[in-house]
Amino acid sequence: MKFGYTIIFVEDIAKTVEFYQTAFGLEAQTVTPMFAQMKTGEVSLAFGANNNERHELAGVIDFRDNKSDQDPAGIQISFVSENVQADFARAINAGATSLIEPNIKPWGQTVSRVRDLNGVLVGIVSAPTF
């Protein structure tokens, strides 16, 4: 088995795709009102509609929307960058919320964190050095 993709459930797929194109330089592969998929390298990042997932899970489990005015879900997506400082600034200029500015960890990796327009945690990091 291998990891296939991640789906982030959002209120507005078109707006989220536009944000990820501007903030992180991703290219859309597929965009529909209910689903979008972005090129990120070997693994895709996808977005699904909150309403659709809420319907799919009805009667099985409660579904909590990602919202920028609430605490984030306990998960983070991360983008590996060759220039963390510049890519962090690009994300902020596109409307991401700054959480942790780029800083070098004791093991040599540069790490930063933002929240996207849906409140999702996003890491912008250099390649791991371990």
Side-chain angles (χ1 to χ4, degrees), residues 25-93:
L26 302 186
E27 182 182 336
Q29 286 179 295
T30 305
V31 181
T32 73
M34 301 303 281
F35 180 81
Q37 196 164 357
M38 311 288 293
K39 292 181 184 178
T40 62
E42 291 183 33
V43 178
S44 296
L45 176 61
F47 302 105
N50 280 340
N51 290 338
N52 186 58
E53 194 61 17
R54 197 174 297 106
H55 174 75
E56 290 285 325
L57 293 172
V60 177
I61 192 169
D62 288 337
F63 178 81
R64 182 178 69 84
D65 293 354
N66 289 301
K67 293 188 179 244
S68 61
D69 62 348
Q70 295 179 1
D71 289 338
I75 190 167
Q76 173 180 297
I77 61 169
S78 295
F79 295 112
V80 176
S81 166
E82 292 183 13
N83 187 336
V84 175
Q85 190 71 40
D87 288 334
F88 177 84
R90 176 183 177 166
I92 298 306
N93 289 337

